[in-house]
Amino acid sequence: MSTTTTEHISMFEQVLARFDVAANLLKVDDQTKEVLRNPQKTVIVSLPVVMDNGKVQVFQGYRIVHSTLLGPSKGGIRYAMDVDMDEVKALSAWMSFKCAIANLPYGGAKGGVTCDPRTMSVGELERLTRAYTRSMADVFGVDKDIPAPDMNTSGQEMAWIVDEFARVIGHLEPGVVTGKPIAIGGSKGREEATGRGVMVATLAALVKLGLDKNKVTAAVQGFGNVGQNAAKLIAAQGIKIVAISDHTAAYYCKEGIDLDKLTTYWASNKRTLIGYTAPNTVLISNEELITCDVDVLVPAATANQITADNAGSIKAKLIVEGANGPTTADADAILNDKKITVVPDVLANGGGVTVSYFEWVQNRAGHYWSLDEVNTRHDASMTDAFNHVWQASVEFGASMRSGAYIVALRKLDAAIKLKGKY
Ligand code: GLU
């Protein structure tokens, strides 16, 4: 078992720790390593916004383009109090790897604003989003950098972005942002896409592990866009969800959580799970959820949830990472020692950006697909990505995480060499 501690290292260093393992296995040269260790572009803006009380509050906004080696950069925008340069940098690098693994013609980027959206009114959020878009208008572009939703942003923010961007450039460019509501050029299936990808990855991994989906149980951490859709889609496949949580509460029910009842409660309770009651359903702690007796654990909440402190107590045989960065680099070693299969974030949650790509293609073609067409293409793409990663992990006798980074590194290394340098 690992005794080194990397828990204190920054999120970007967590990325580099994984990157180094794969780069060494693949024997990537120093030039490629150096290029990928340094994001291509970093933009920080100050956004003065008039709040409802008439006072101006200045917010910090970020956009980091990690790479455009494989195409225009792609990645979401998150609104949260812990958003900072380090986090956005880590998330931007993960997008480069994620897009390469999903075989999309995209580089990677990420954006964020340090704010607490739960305390802000709709008007304040709109003014903040428009100010951010205006400040980033030089960075964004349908062939340059294409944002999307991430933590605490959704179709509404994307609608403000597409509108504000159109005001800046003087015409509508629907493909400049994805994850838009369907009414203004969004794609069918985009809303559920990340959860759907988690479901497809879970089923593929269960087959590899020889586990019957109708006999396994799962715990899902998180009830946002990813957790909620993943839980519902996984349950629809016959997998019993026995534990679920959000940032306010976690519940366990041996017979299986009633997700319809839970969702109705959540919607009527300001989109929180606290206070929910149901027969045989008990309130548990977040730590109990992570270490509960299940076959499959889906961390779909936030980063750094599976750490060196709790990894040793995890009972699941399979972890499917719906969130970005839910496992620390230190915990990787412990999970490997315990022979727990981890479908890493850069593969498992790639369904979202895959359907973002389909949205961008539809916007550019001006031709829109049926839900069935989107889902069929998505499932095939996710399955291919899963198989490539699995093959790479077998080839190198490494974890699926290292296999995933290897798949990405091969493509990025080839692009660096082909494009040359000056
Ligand atoms: N924010 C999502 C992610 O982390 C989606 C990004 C996108 O669709 O561009 O993958």
Side-chain angles (χ1 to χ4, degrees):
M1 194 171 282
S2 167
T3 50
T4 54
T5 77
T6 51
E7 299 298 318
H8 61 285
I9 70 174
S10 76
M11 211 156 148
F12 188 64
E13 284 167 329
Q14 303 268 0
V15 178
L16 295 181
R18 275 61 176 268
F19 172 80
D20 284 342
V21 173
N24 292 338
L25 283 169
L26 199 59
K27 301 194 175 39
V28 166
D29 62 41
D30 288 346
Q31 279 181 36
T32 291
K33 282 192 205 163
E34 201 52 25
V35 170
L36 295 174
R37 282 172 162 272
N38 293 284
Q40 212 169 291
K41 188 190 285 182
T42 300
V43 182
I44 308 175
V45 291
S46 294
L47 306 167
V49 175
V50 182
M51 304 306 276
D52 290 350
N53 64 9
K55 296 209 171 93
V56 170
Q57 193 175 328
V58 181
F59 295 89
Q60 291 297 301
Y62 305 88
R63 185 75 179 169
I64 300 187
V65 173
H66 175 262
S67 87
T68 54
L69 285 158
L70 301 176
S73 52
K74 188 83 191 81
I77 297 167
R78 65 170 53 179
Y79 286 177
M81 278 315 281
D82 56 10
V83 165
D84 61 15
M85 274 277 285
D86 172 61
E87 184 183 87
V88 178
K89 197 169 159 187
L91 291 161
S92 73
W94 275 326
M95 285 310 302
S96 290
F97 301 130
K98 194 185 298 185
C99 292
I101 293 160
N103 205 24
L104 307 177
Y106 284 147
K110 201 79 176 196
V113 178
T114 315
C115 65
D116 184 359
R118 288 194 188 98
T119 64
M120 293 170 69
S121 70
V122 174
E124 288 169 343
L125 285 168
E126 175 171 355
R127 293 193 290 280
L128 174 66
T129 306
R130 288 187 184 278
Y132 179 80
T133 307
R134 213 154 250 279
S135 294
M136 294 295 176
D138 286 346
V139 180
F140 298 162
V142 68
D143 283 313
K144 275 168 79 179
D145 178 46
I146 308 133
D150 197 76
M151 207 181 270
N152 299 327
T153 59
S154 64
Q156 177 60 80
E157 283 76 15
M158 304 309 116
W160 291 325
I161 292 174
V162 80
D163 184 65
E164 193 62 31
F165 191 78
R167 289 169 198 247
V168 175
I169 64 165
H171 65 96
L172 180 66
E173 186 66 271
V176 74
V177 56
T178 61
K180 299 178 293 295
I182 290 172
I184 56 161
S187 176
K188 292 193 171 125
R190 176 61 185 88
E191 181 93 24
E192 318 83 81
T194 312
R196 187 172 182 90
V198 169
M199 177 270 282
V200 172
T202 303
L203 296 188
L206 288 175
V207 170
K208 295 284 185 199
L209 298 179
L211 295 169
D212 179 349
K213 65 176 181 163
N214 294 307
K215 294 199 180 115
V216 297
T217 56
V220 178
Q221 185 199 34
F223 207 64
N225 171 280
V226 185
Q228 197 171 136
N229 284 303
K232 286 177 188 162
L233 291 163
I234 286 172
Q237 291 294 325
I239 297 169
K240 198 198 279 179
I241 312 285
V242 294
I244 197 145
S245 70
D246 75 350
H247 62 286
T248 64
Y251 300 99
Y252 180 85
C253 176
K254 201 169 188 291
E255 288 79 45
I257 302 276
D258 183 340
L259 290 171
D260 286 341
K261 186 173 167 178
L262 187 74
T263 308
T264 307
Y265 177 80
W266 172 86
S268 69
N269 194 46
K270 296 193 187 123
R271 296 159 74 94
T272 59
L273 294 182
I274 187 119
Y276 175 73
T277 53
N280 302 327
T281 304
V282 292
L283 188 67
I284 57 171
S285 68
N286 183 47
E287 281 303 298
E288 284 169 324
L289 178 125
I290 286 172
T291 58
C292 74
D293 193 4
V294 284
D295 302 293
V296 185
L297 173 62
V298 180
T302 185
N304 302 332
Q305 296 301 296
I306 300 174
T307 67
D309 293 335
N310 60 18
S313 312
I314 289 181
K315 296 179 195 71
K317 301 174 189 75
L318 171 66
I319 298 175
V320 185
E321 296 184 338
N324 289 312
T327 308
T328 64
D330 236 13
D332 278 355
I334 300 169
L335 299 174
N336 280 344
D337 286 349
K338 286 175 61 110
K339 307 249 177 304
I340 295 173
T341 300
V342 180
V343 185
D345 47 8
V346 283
L347 168 64
N349 68 36
V353 71
T354 297
V355 179
S356 273
Y357 167 62
F358 296 162
E359 179 175 334
W360 182 77
V361 168
Q362 292 171 80
N363 289 155
R364 310 197 76 181
H367 170 74
Y368 289 83
W369 307 347
S370 67
L371 178 61
D372 197 42
E373 183 161 5
V374 171
N375 285 345
T376 304
R377 285 176 185 264
H378 164 274
D379 295 359
S381 173
M382 235 7 237
T383 307
D384 272 358
F386 182 94
N387 288 335
H388 289 146
V389 168
W390 185 269
Q391 276 158 20
S393 72
V394 170
E395 185 185 337
F396 286 84
S399 65
M400 281 195 82
R401 192 182 313 279
S402 292
Y405 278 72
I406 286 168
V407 167
L409 266 172
R410 276 182 171 145
K411 292 185 188 173
L412 293 164
D413 183 46
I416 290 168
K417 299 214 158 64
L418 285 164
K419 289 189 166 180
K421 51 191 170 297
Y422 53 85

